[in-house]
Amino acid sequence: MALLDLLDRDDIPEDARQAIREEIEAAHQSDERYRLLATNATDMIIRLALDGTIIDASPSSFNLSGYPPAELIGRHAREFVHPDDMEVLYRVEAAILDRPAAQTMEWRLVRKDGRSVWVETTTQAVRDSEGTVTEFVAVGRDVSDRKKAEDELAKRLDLESQVSHMLGRLIRLPLSELDAGISEALGLLSTSVGAHRAGVFVIDHEAGTASRTHEWSASPGDAWGHETESVDTGWFRYSVSLMERGDILRISRPTDLPAAAVAER
């Protein structure tokens, strides 16, 4: 029975009526505070019914999901979750009902254009005066850049660990097996980073050349050509200067090179 209906009943004492009026007013104020926050927030804010249906969405939801708020309302939140992240969602849903504290999860939201973006969402159960959960409020933000940085750091740490392990192994090899060991190490490292070929070049500063001493290729068609057996370092001074400082240079395509390396493009 709605609270407004109770006010129309003659058998409700006046003190109970006053308590009902105060509860209705508090609900109105709470709804107004939510509306003000949602309208001005940069993060996505959505309200969910107990069954997971979206009952309200802030204007900023469009920036994150690509859907206008009106197209989100009435649909189930699971419709926008990447299939691989459903298990995480189920765990959080269960935890929200069991614990009073807000629950935070990272998941991939499937946008209207079909792209997936990493989102961090903090969800809180809304309870009435008797402690019964009436709805959920979720606040989400795009964390794609952070996830990309974390993934790149994890890959770099993994690569450094592999390099350290391989160097230790190479040091213990007898001289007669060293060349084969270096080529094997190049193959393992290349496979881990998705490269088709790799080489070791020794730089002669006086001669201004870089000579290839070892190589590995995934297939004969990927092998280094004879033209790279000895290369004029003047062709790639920028890259050489970085390597001499111990920096790691990752270039997927020539256009990735900065303006300082325009000659190498």
Side-chain angles (χ1 to χ4, degrees):
M1 180 176 293
L3 293 178
L4 287 175
D5 294 335
L6 291 175
L7 291 177
D8 295 333
R9 290 178 49 173
D10 296 332
D11 58 340
I12 301 296
E14 182 56 34
D15 57 345
R17 291 174 179 273
Q18 182 59 32
I20 292 173
R21 294 190 190 98
E22 292 176 356
E23 187 168 342
I24 293 174
E25 178 63 24
H28 286 165
Q29 292 179 0
S30 177
D31 190 63
E32 286 300 317
R33 285 195 296 269
Y34 163 79
R35 181 63 55 192
L36 179 64
L37 174 63
T39 301
N40 294 280
T42 55
D43 292 345
M44 176 180 71
I45 302 177
I46 59 175
R47 294 169 61 200
L48 303 164
L50 297 184
D51 64 355
T53 301
I54 299 173
I55 57 179
D56 200 4
S58 64
S60 55
S61 302
F62 174 77
N63 298 329
L64 192 57
S65 69
Y67 290 94
E71 294 184 18
L72 294 173
I73 296 172
R75 299 176 64 178
H76 199 285
R78 292 175 186 167
E79 295 181 42
F80 309 99
V81 180
H82 191 283
D84 293 344
D85 297 329
M86 282 296 182
E87 184 177 347
V88 178
L89 177 64
Y90 294 147
R91 290 201 303 267
V92 170
E93 287 178 345
I96 292 172
L97 293 173
D98 292 340
R99 305 166 193 165
Q103 301 296 313
T104 300
M105 64 175 284
E106 291 182 354
W107 53 286
R108 281 161 292 184
L109 180 149
V110 181
R111 289 173 44 87
K112 187 174 183 178
D113 58 14
R115 293 189 299 113
S116 295
V117 295
W118 278 101
V119 176
E120 180 186 78
T121 303
T122 299
T123 305
Q124 177 76 59
V126 178
R127 302 173 185 272
D128 60 18
S129 58
E130 298 179 355
T132 302
V133 177
T134 58
E135 64 180 65
F136 306 104
V137 174
V139 180
R141 63 183 59 185
D142 188 339
V143 293
S144 298
D145 290 342
R146 190 186 77 195
K147 291 292 291 186
K148 181 179 179 181
E150 290 173 351
D151 290 344
E152 290 179 350
L153 176 60
K155 290 178 181 177
R156 177 166 182 170
L157 293 175
D158 180 63
L159 179 60
E160 291 176 353
S161 175
Q162 290 187 55
V163 170
S164 177
H165 174 75
M166 290 175 185
L167 287 177
R169 181 174 178 274
L170 291 174
I171 291 173
R172 294 190 296 271
L173 286 177
L175 190 59
S176 59
E177 300 177 18
L178 187 57
D179 287 338
I182 292 176
S183 296
E184 180 186 356
L186 287 175
L188 292 173
L189 291 174
S190 298
T191 301
S192 69
V193 298
H196 297 291
R197 61 182 177 178
V200 174
F201 291 80
V202 176
I203 297 176
D204 186 333
H205 291 285
E206 293 184 2
T209 60
S211 302
R212 177 165 45 80
T213 60
H214 300 81
E215 67 173 308
W216 174 90
S217 60
S219 66
D222 295 321
W224 295 90
H226 293 294
E227 67 275 7
T228 63
E229 290 180 356
S230 182
V231 182
D232 184 349
T233 56
W235 295 354
F236 49 96
R237 286 195 178 93
Y238 174 80
S239 300
V240 170
S241 66
L242 288 184
M243 290 185 282
E244 287 177 339
R245 296 203 306 263
D247 293 339
I248 296 177
L249 178 64
R250 292 186 177 90
I251 298 296
S252 299
R253 57 188 67 85
T255 53
D256 290 341
L257 287 164
V262 65
E264 297 179 29
R265 295 182 183 177

